[in-house]
Amino acid sequence: MSRPEQSSDDPRALPPGQYVPRDWPVLHYGPVPKFRPKDWDFRVFGATESGGQHAWSWDEFEALPRAKAVADFHCVTKFTIPDNEWEGVSGTSVVELAPPDPDVTHVMVWAEYGYSANIRMSDFLTDGTMFATHRNGERLSPDHGFPIRLVVPHLYAWKSVKWVRGIEYMVKDRRGFWEERGYHNVADPWREQRYSYQEDSDESPPL
């Protein structure tokens, strides 16, 4: 099991402006979708190496190689949940199974109801990024993203999309749901990249 590296020399430090709550708050836009395993699939499309689409049924997705990581969870609303043990399918495993075109720079993560979030391919491939099915040994609850949510521990948690249904490989970046509504395009909590107006003054890390 791996523990993704923190951006602070102190492993117990919190990103600027964050606090630890008593429990794990539930925050999302819209209703909790109903899970219908017979109708559910996970798709990888866009700029794939083959030019085609990849898809897995729920049973097939459940049979994919598993990964675990211990990592903090940083919400842009300023709470941090330390030391979560995530289990699921890593971003690197998905890329190995569904290779992208060499020119791909970003991934758009798509969820139920058309929700989306864009992340850089470098973030998608970072150690600890995964399509999580379990937290601390238990299945995710529906209000926390069951059956799967993407977890990108080193970014603010709106990038950790709930109820994921697929990813789109992109050769050019474009903004997702909250990014189009004023949130920062990168979302690094250690640099407190919360809102899009900060982007003009940021020197964003290289892709």
Side-chain angles (χ1 to χ4, degrees):
M1 185 189 308
S2 62
R3 195 187 202 289
E5 293 183 2
Q6 300 287 344
S7 297
S8 167
D9 292 335
D10 179 359
R12 294 271 37 89
L14 297 179
Q18 299 294 107
Y19 73 96
V20 178
R22 293 182 179 179
D23 52 17
W24 189 13
V26 174
L27 298 171
H28 53 255
Y29 181 86
V32 176
K34 294 185 181 297
F35 175 54
R36 298 177 175 85
K38 291 183 178 180
D39 299 327
W40 188 95
D41 62 7
F42 179 90
R43 297 174 184 266
V44 179
F45 58 98
T48 62
E49 184 180 66
S50 67
Q53 179 175 262
H54 303 261
W56 293 269
S57 68
W58 174 243
D59 289 341
E60 290 169 337
F61 189 88
E62 281 272 82
L64 293 179
R66 311 290 289 182
K68 291 184 178 181
V70 176
D72 297 345
F73 181 89
H74 308 295
C75 183
V76 72
T77 61
K78 300 191 176 183
F79 71 81
T80 288
I81 308 295
D83 294 331
N84 304 275
E85 181 182 314
W86 302 106
E87 178 183 344
V89 178
S90 69
T92 54
S93 289
V94 171
V95 166
E96 290 169 0
L97 293 165
D101 183 273
D103 292 334
V104 168
T105 60
H106 292 76
V107 169
M108 186 70 79
V109 186
W110 290 100
E112 300 285 0
Y113 307 128
Y115 179 85
S116 61
N118 59 312
I119 65 172
R120 299 171 299 183
M121 180 60 81
S122 57
D123 292 315
F124 188 69
L125 296 177
T126 296
D127 187 28
T129 296
M130 71 175 69
F131 295 95
T133 57
H134 292 71
R135 174 182 173 265
N136 297 341
E138 297 183 356
R139 282 274 184 191
L140 293 174
S141 62
D143 56 2
H144 281 300
F146 173 83
I148 62 170
R149 75 177 299 163
L150 180 67
V151 173
V152 190
H154 63 287
L155 300 181
Y156 281 127
W158 85 79
K159 300 285 191 178
S160 293
V161 178
K162 297 180 181 181
W163 312 306
V164 176
R165 294 298 303 273
I167 60 170
E168 178 187 358
Y169 291 146
M170 303 189 298
V171 297
K172 182 180 179 181
D173 191 22
R174 69 178 190 272
R175 292 177 182 265
F177 181 87
W178 286 118
E179 294 81 11
E180 288 184 332
R181 290 163 174 80
Y183 281 77
H184 199 284
N185 205 41
V186 176
D188 182 347
W190 295 96
R191 302 178 71 190
E192 216 167 350
Q193 293 175 331
R194 300 179 190 272
Y195 306 111
S196 59
Y197 72 80
Q198 297 170 291
E199 293 171 17
D200 292 338
S201 59
D202 279 343
E203 292 183 8
S204 296
L207 298 179

